[in-house]
Amino acid sequence: MKHRKLYMIGNAHLDPVWLWQWQEGFQEAKATFRSALDRMKEYEDFVFTSSSAAMYEWVEVNAPDMFEEIRQRIAEGRWNIVGGWWIQPDCNIPNGESFVRQGLYGQRYFMEKFGVTAKIGYNVDSFGHNAMLPQILKKSGMDYYVMMRPMPNEKGLPSRLFWWQSDDGSKVLTFRIMFEYLSWGKELGGHVRRALGEFKEPLNDLLFFYGVGNHGGGPTKENIESIHALNDDPDLPKLVFATPDQYFADMEASGLSFPVVHDDLQHHASGCYSAHSGIKQWNRQAENRLAAAEKYSAFASWITGQPYPLEAFGRAWKNVLFNQFHDIQAGTSLESAYEDARYLFGEAMAIADRALNDAVQSISWRVAIRQDEGMKPIVVFNPHAWASTVNVELEVGGIGPKTVLTDENDAPVPFQTVQSHATSGGRYRLSFMAELPPLGYRTYKLVAASESLRPVGAPIAASDLVLENERFRLEFDRDSGTIKSLRDKKAEHDVFAGPAARAVVIDDKSDTWSHDVLHFNKVAGEFKAVKVSRIEHGPVKSVIRVVSRYGDSKLVQDFALYPDRELIDVSVTVDWREKFKMLKLVFPINVIFSKHTYETPYGTIQREHNGEEEPGQSWVDYTGLTRQTNKIYGVSLLNDAKYSYSISGKELALTVLRSPIYAHHDPLVPEPDGEYSFIDQGIQRFNYSLLPHEGGWEQAGTAHRAAELNCRPTAVIETYHEGDLPLSDSYAASSADNVVVSAVKIAEDGSGDLIVRAYETEGRRTLAEIALPRFERTIRAEFGQSEIKTFRVPRAAAQPVVETDLLERGV
């Protein structure tokens, strides 16, 4: 047996938040690190492995003497830094840029404080892992990965040790932990013995994790002395105090061949994709606000000299990254933890809002707007690097019967007023379609009265039950409130195979995680309409409101159809009063031979229609062939707050919410008459869109439309003034629709250089140009399938643009 080896990894899995708040996790981090340092003094062969830069920052600030001890042990090689991320996050819910920032802030922290970066990605307790992580890990300086969930009963893998490959071809050597990432008390001998069955020739070396965990603690004296004693047993493998770094280096040097897995790693705890709507919506909002704020703050720093708030953005991102910890973002922590999370997200969004406002107002103040006493200028900023036509709404005053809206060339633009957010005289909510240049702005003018101009535009056909424009006819059923039919007149195709937007209530007695539950399909009932009526009608859009009820709960869906947009926007308000229930919106899609594509962080994945709950980002698409004409047709479902979907046969469903008990973990059985706090009670709001399309989702612009729904334009009500900037301008544009500019920021090194990040969205090799016209720069690059690329644009015009990794280092 001694020809086999267990690399004994002394670690302390510490959830900074779970069944306790962060303040308790803060103290436990210090206690755990102190314990590890003490064990090093007592046992010369003991080495310790630890991740998560956030907890090191806690210790640095609150226990600086101990921090210095850790620094020394790292230099000696006895304290191994792994997982170069800010925290061990949920690995499905955060968007692609958030995973980039986990590495950017984590690895830069470790390099600045300890002179090292992690070589190993390390997410031992996360509840599934999206398939784009190998590329993100590699480009963040990590060639290896350690994970545990899904476990063998949840996903079969060809080996404990395997190459995990993402769509672009990036591979990381990955180890799936055996049984647990921790050990308890006197159990180490038994823990070692149950690993004996895991050895399979020719792999005779495995990683073995020990140390008290979850609430921290780490390796105990008893653990270490047990390892010494167990080494004397001839029936056990050789036990070696080691680090994951050492293990992976030895395995790569072994000459062994390892199987390749090209897939995401799912499913564990499927209920986590939807548990706690609040934390998921705040996450989506914070990610998008920070993205927009960074883009315009970066451009403003170059154009107007507006100071770029580098340190503040760092704090905001660290708040977001901390809240992406797997037991926070998954919705599985105790209720009070979500009050703390709300404060952190609030600070992050306040920082983003201030920075965005400073940036766009510094630009709009420099726009040359001629004096006109009866005119109110509105400067609208597009956060996306493509020309965008979107509905803009803002609160204004001074709209009268002769008011006209024009563009910067004084051409009339259709507009209408919709219900103001202020229930007060003199305030209005202006709604119009803005045609915006790529990642730039355009100036519109609200003219109080004009003798030469008249309002323009005509509304679509609309009644209480039917909305119809040139492309679609949308009809509702008065009794159920569902979509009775959606006819694509151009394609001569009925989009749905039956009643759609059905609000289906599911019985769900599972715990917060939904352990061992893959399908949610025990129908308890459906919402029924109490009122269906047209509430808005004008040249911009017409809206039908469907109010429906189930039990003590109320659902309001406002369906908007536009004269010239080929999608349907839906604004949703839910007042939820049910317990041990789930709510889904269900859409039966009328195609055959279908395929189903989900947006993932900086990528996509196709999945089966087997009814399993699946994680996704802001969109999912269902495309197939029309039975009558044999043409490709599909529907993309976009949303701005949700991450959980299912497809059962022809039924595409968005999981809106679920209401388990807070932090309820099997096998504990709640008392039948006990008083508990249930998740997702009360009012929540979000938006989704239906994008029917001929051809595939790629031709429909699904990725662009979803981004426009999630990150909306910023409108500034200005005044007339002199300036050196034009009425309309563009700062960045991608020549390829499938290459999305996802981040523009100032470099972390303080140089003032621009960092531009883009990724390929459709899974095909593409030559693209990213133009920065104001700065007379063009980035030319070839993107591989689903490839992420990052570029540094020096402030000095004579210096060339260079490609960097995700840590902003040259490649």
Side-chain angles (χ1 to χ4, degrees):
M1 238 342 191
K2 294 303 181 185
H3 69 289
R4 291 176 166 170
K5 186 189 298 184
L6 288 177
Y7 288 67
M8 305 298 289
I9 308 303
N11 79 108
H13 180 64
L14 173 56
D15 293 325
V17 177
W18 180 28
L19 306 180
W20 45 86
Q21 292 176 258
W22 69 267
Q23 295 88 343
E24 187 174 341
F26 186 111
Q27 193 283 328
E28 186 55 41
K30 293 187 296 180
T32 298
F33 285 4
R34 180 71 265 160
S35 175
L37 291 167
D38 291 345
R39 299 295 81 75
M40 288 180 184
K41 293 176 182 177
E42 296 160 352
Y43 303 95
E44 291 184 354
D45 51 355
F46 171 67
V47 292
F48 184 65
T49 292
S50 183
S51 71
S52 302
M55 285 185 274
Y56 288 86
E57 188 178 68
W58 284 350
V59 174
E60 179 190 13
V61 170
N62 201 249
D65 292 344
M66 185 166 64
F67 190 78
E68 286 303 315
E69 283 188 68
I70 294 171
R71 193 196 308 270
Q72 293 168 17
R73 293 302 190 183
I74 290 171
E76 292 173 9
R78 294 186 63 194
W79 188 298
N80 185 214
I81 295 291
V82 295
W85 285 0
W86 195 247
I87 207 75
Q88 291 187 36
D90 182 284
C91 290
N92 286 313
I93 304 302
N95 71 4
E97 189 60 23
S98 287
F99 286 108
V100 170
R101 299 310 173 97
Q102 289 282 356
L104 179 67
Y105 293 111
Q107 292 281 53
R108 290 184 70 90
Y109 180 87
F110 288 136
M111 177 56 71
E112 177 187 342
K113 304 301 179 180
F114 304 129
V116 301
T117 54
K119 300 179 179 67
I120 297 168
Y122 189 88
N123 291 300
V124 299
D125 195 26
S126 299
F127 310 144
H129 309 259
N130 77 80
M132 286 297 290
L133 287 185
Q135 180 182 181
I136 293 170
L137 290 163
K138 290 284 286 188
K139 292 183 175 180
S140 301
M142 289 172 275
D143 295 324
Y144 313 104
Y145 196 54
V146 176
M147 45 73 68
M148 187 176 72
R149 312 180 195 280
M151 301 178 86
N153 63 306
E154 296 167 321
K155 184 176 181 67
L157 292 173
S159 172
R160 284 284 174 188
L161 187 63
F162 59 94
W163 289 106
W164 187 24
Q165 180 176 310
S166 54
D167 285 351
D168 72 307
S170 297
K171 291 192 295 187
V172 289
L173 192 58
T174 300
F175 186 87
R176 177 160 68 178
I177 292 173
M178 301 176 291
F179 305 110
E180 296 180 273
Y181 46 69
L182 49 75
S183 60
W184 300 103
K186 301 180 185 298
E187 294 180 359
L188 192 56
H191 193 27
V192 168
R193 287 183 174 85
R194 67 181 177 176
L196 298 181
E198 295 294 326
F199 288 99
K200 298 190 186 306
E201 294 287 350
L203 184 61
N204 288 312
D205 303 294
L206 297 172
L207 282 174
F208 187 96
F209 289 75
Y210 73 96
V212 179
N214 287 343
H215 196 266
T220 63
K221 293 180 182 181
E222 187 176 51
N223 287 160
I224 297 167
E225 291 170 2
S226 292
I227 292 170
H228 290 148
L230 290 168
N231 255 330
D232 294 333
D233 188 335
D235 294 328
L236 293 180
K238 185 178 180 181
L239 276 56
V240 179
F241 292 100
T243 66
D245 282 24
Q246 180 183 341
Y247 175 76
F248 282 110
D250 290 351
M251 292 303 98
E252 283 220 84
S254 70
L256 294 175
S257 178
F258 305 108
V260 176
V261 174
H262 182 189
D263 197 3
D264 61 355
L265 304 179
Q266 312 292 357
H267 297 90
H268 178 82
S270 297
C272 291
Y273 314 148
S274 55
H276 203 293
S277 295
I279 195 70
K280 292 173 170 65
Q281 184 171 53
W282 305 331
N283 179 71
R284 184 82 63 85
Q285 290 170 341
E287 288 173 332
N288 283 285
R289 288 191 198 185
L290 280 167
E294 284 183 332
K295 287 174 183 175
Y296 277 105
S297 294
F299 288 132
S301 73
W302 276 31
I303 295 166
T304 71
Q306 177 71 29
Y308 184 87
L310 186 64
E311 184 177 346
F313 277 141
R315 175 47 52 201
W317 268 111
K318 288 173 182 178
N319 285 1
V320 172
L321 301 178
F322 184 84
N323 275 344
Q324 290 171 346
F325 178 71
H326 52 269
D327 277 311
I328 301 175
Q329 192 58 236
T332 54
S333 292
L334 73 170
E335 185 173 11
S336 55
Y338 291 99
E339 296 178 9
D340 298 333
R342 187 171 66 245
Y343 302 150
L344 282 183
F345 272 132
E347 182 184 32
M349 287 190 267
I351 290 169
D353 284 349
R354 283 194 296 269
L356 179 59
N357 181 69
D358 287 345
V360 297
Q361 292 223 29
S362 76
I363 294 170
S364 68
W365 190 249
R366 294 263 297 269
V367 174
I369 304 173
R370 72 174 186 269
Q371 183 170 349
D372 183 343
E373 298 288 347
M375 181 268 296
K376 183 177 296 185
I378 301 169
V379 185
V380 184
F381 291 81
N382 178 15
H384 306 294
W386 59 82
S388 186
T389 301
V390 290
N391 185 213
V392 172
E393 293 189 357
L394 70 159
E395 299 286 317
V396 297
I399 293 181
K402 295 185 178 181
T403 297
V404 177
L405 182 70
T406 75
D407 63 16
E408 76 279 20
N409 298 315
D410 298 322
V413 174
F415 78 97
Q416 69 189 70
T417 57
V418 296
Q419 184 174 353
S420 172
H421 290 179
T423 308
S424 176
R427 292 294 288 180
Y428 305 88
R429 189 161 184 83
L430 176 70
S431 177
F432 66 99
M433 298 303 297
E435 297 182 5
L436 303 174
L439 231 174
Y441 65 86
R442 189 177 187 189
T443 304
Y444 291 85
K445 302 173 184 180
L446 197 60
V447 182
S450 172
E451 295 301 322
S452 59
L453 297 174
R454 294 289 181 270
V456 294
I460 64 172
S463 66
D464 282 344
L465 294 176
V466 177
L467 299 174
E468 186 170 1
N469 62 14
E470 291 188 3
R471 178 68 185 268
F472 297 119
R473 185 181 190 277
L474 175 64
E475 183 176 358
F476 293 87
D477 181 86
R478 188 183 298 278
D479 295 328
S480 67
T482 60
I483 295 174
K484 185 176 182 179
S485 68
L486 175 58
R487 179 70 175 175
D488 185 331
K489 298 188 292 185
K490 177 184 174 185
E492 298 183 332
H493 177 67
D494 290 316
V495 175
F496 297 125
R502 291 167 39 226
V504 179
V505 179
I506 307 291
D507 277 324
D508 173 23
K509 295 293 177 63
S510 62
D511 69 358
T512 315
W513 288 255
S514 299
H515 282 112
D516 299 320
V517 177
L518 297 177
H519 302 84
F520 298 89
N521 51 17
K522 298 177 182 177
V523 174
E526 296 188 14
F527 277 77
K528 297 298 181 185
V530 295
K531 186 177 183 181
V532 183
S533 60
R534 190 187 76 186
I535 61 165
E536 292 175 9
H537 188 51
V540 177
K541 63 180 178 179
S542 294
V543 178
I544 287 178
R545 172 169 292 169
V546 178
V547 181
S548 55
R549 290 190 175 276
Y550 173 89
D552 294 328
S553 299
K554 179 181 177 182
L555 173 67
V556 180
Q557 296 191 79
D558 291 347
F559 294 82
L561 190 63
Y562 308 85
D564 300 317
R565 291 199 87 193
E566 296 185 344
L567 58 68
I568 297 147
D569 285 335
V570 190
S571 177
V572 182
T573 300
V574 186
D575 187 357
W576 184 250
R577 306 291 173 177
E578 315 307 315
K579 299 173 181 178
F580 292 122
K581 297 284 194 298
M582 171 186 276
L583 175 60
K584 287 177 176 282
L585 291 173
V586 179
F587 303 85
I589 311 301
N590 185 28
V591 296
I592 57 175
F593 300 117
S594 59
K595 65 178 181 180
H596 323 102
T597 307
Y598 296 72
E599 184 191 27
T600 62
Y602 275 160
T604 59
I605 193 168
Q606 289 187 18
R607 297 190 176 117
E608 301 83 359
H609 63 173
N610 56 16
E612 289 187 4
E613 203 73 5
E614 300 283 4
Q617 293 277 302
S618 63
W619 61 267
V620 63
D621 181 80
Y622 191 117
T623 292
L625 295 178
T626 60
R627 187 180 296 274
Q628 294 81 4
T629 60
N630 208 37
K631 292 182 178 178
I632 298 174
Y633 196 93
V635 178
S636 296
L637 175 61
L638 330 171
N639 82 86
D640 68 356
K642 307 297 177 182
Y643 295 88
S644 193
Y645 307 88
S646 63
I647 300 176
S648 179
K650 293 186 180 299
E651 289 196 335
L652 165 62
L654 172 68
T655 302
V656 174
L657 54 81
R658 53 185 298 263
S659 50
I661 297 171
Y662 271 98
H664 168 214
H665 197 301
D666 281 344
L668 189 145
V669 178
E671 295 291 334
D673 57 351
E675 288 293 328
Y676 299 99
S677 187
F678 287 79
I679 298 177
D680 275 357
Q681 301 297 292
I683 294 174
Q684 60 173 278
R685 297 179 175 87
F686 71 100
N687 300 281
Y688 70 91
S689 299
L690 296 169
L691 178 61
H693 54 82
E694 295 181 282
W697 62 266
E698 300 89 341
Q699 293 76 45
T702 292
H704 285 190
R705 302 294 84 78
E708 290 166 351
L709 175 65
N710 280 270
C711 194
R712 299 179 185 240
T714 298
V716 177
I717 299 175
E718 261 297 348
T719 187
Y720 41 82
H721 41 59
E722 295 181 355
D724 58 354
L725 297 181
L727 292 170
S728 181
D729 207 353
S730 173
Y731 298 143
S734 171
S735 65
D737 287 343
N738 62 314
V739 172
V740 168
V741 176
S742 54
V744 180
K745 62 186 289 292
I746 294 297
E748 295 295 316
D749 61 9
S751 63
D753 294 350
L754 280 184
I755 298 295
V756 179
R757 187 158 22 259
Y759 69 104
E760 196 282 319
T761 63
E762 296 177 7
R764 57 185 176 90
R765 188 172 296 277
T766 302
L767 286 169
E769 291 186 353
I770 299 171
L772 306 173
R774 184 169 185 86
F775 315 115
E776 299 181 349
R777 295 281 199 144
T778 300
I779 301 167
R780 297 178 177 87
E782 182 176 1
F783 286 75
Q785 178 182 356
S786 303
E787 186 176 9
I788 309 161
K789 283 185 176 289
T790 306
F791 306 94
R792 178 186 288 267
V793 183
R795 189 149 196 168
Q799 295 181 10
V801 175
V802 295
E803 186 174 350
T804 75
D805 64 9
L806 297 178
L807 306 184
E808 302 178 7
R809 307 175 302 189
V811 297

